[in-house]
Amino acid sequence: MTGWALLVGGAAATAGLVLWAGYPVSMVGVPGAPLSNQSPPTLAAVAFGLAQCGAALVLAGPLRRVLRRPAAWAPVAVANLSAMTIFLWHQTAMIAVTMAALWLAGGALPGLHTVPGDPGWVAARLGGRPAGVAAGVRGGPGGVPGGLPPSRDTPRPTR
């Protein structure tokens, strides 16, 4: 019951704050926006966070039931073995691709450094995804397909 209350209450509060109190729709900062929900955190961001907590509580039981089966849990366990590595390499790839694109473009990148004002912004934003994914897959360490082999100094698990 608490999960549903947080989910519905947080979503309703977020919608109300965005529609009638003038808070931005985006919960993360975007270039050119006069107000950001991030710095300092706003009431809209807090309400949205409560809705997300409610969603997590509502989904916890059904996900536990599904993941009790070894076949469903195995991919989660395997992904968790490399979660931090994948996160850090995706950040590195994102920065590398952005810097290369900035250098090639000679200025601001549409969809990344421009105000989201039209469908062209969405197309530009989505258009950069394949380059980032390719860089992340190719640039990762030995645990990522096609990545670099681990160094000799990499600690090995012992049995």
Side-chain angles (χ1 to χ4, degrees):
M1 190 65 163
T2 303
W4 281 108
L6 284 170
L7 176 59
V8 172
T14 302
L17 289 166
V18 167
L19 291 172
W20 297 300
Y23 287 95
V25 173
S26 175
M27 292 298 134
V28 296
V30 293
L35 180 65
S36 170
N37 280 316
Q38 287 184 323
S39 182
T42 65
L43 191 55
V46 172
F48 187 68
L50 290 173
Q52 289 178 321
C53 290
L57 290 172
V58 167
L59 294 173
L63 286 174
R64 274 193 203 105
R65 284 190 292 280
V66 169
L67 294 175
R68 278 189 193 132
R69 295 177 300 186
W73 176 248
V76 174
V78 169
N80 279 336
L81 292 173
S82 301
M84 184 56 76
T85 302
I86 291 169
F87 172 74
L88 293 173
W89 276 102
H90 117 274
Q91 292 289 330
T92 305
M94 179 184 69
I95 291 169
V97 168
T98 301
M99 294 305 293
L102 276 170
W103 181 74
L104 289 171
L109 298 174
L112 190 59
H113 301 117
T114 56
V115 178
D118 58 27
W121 181 88
V122 175
R125 187 82 175 154
L126 294 176
R129 298 290 184 202
V133 169
V137 169
R138 294 302 309 158
V144 177
L148 303 172
S151 72
R152 291 182 182 197
D153 299 330
T154 303
R156 305 278 183 220
T158 57
R159 292 189 181 189

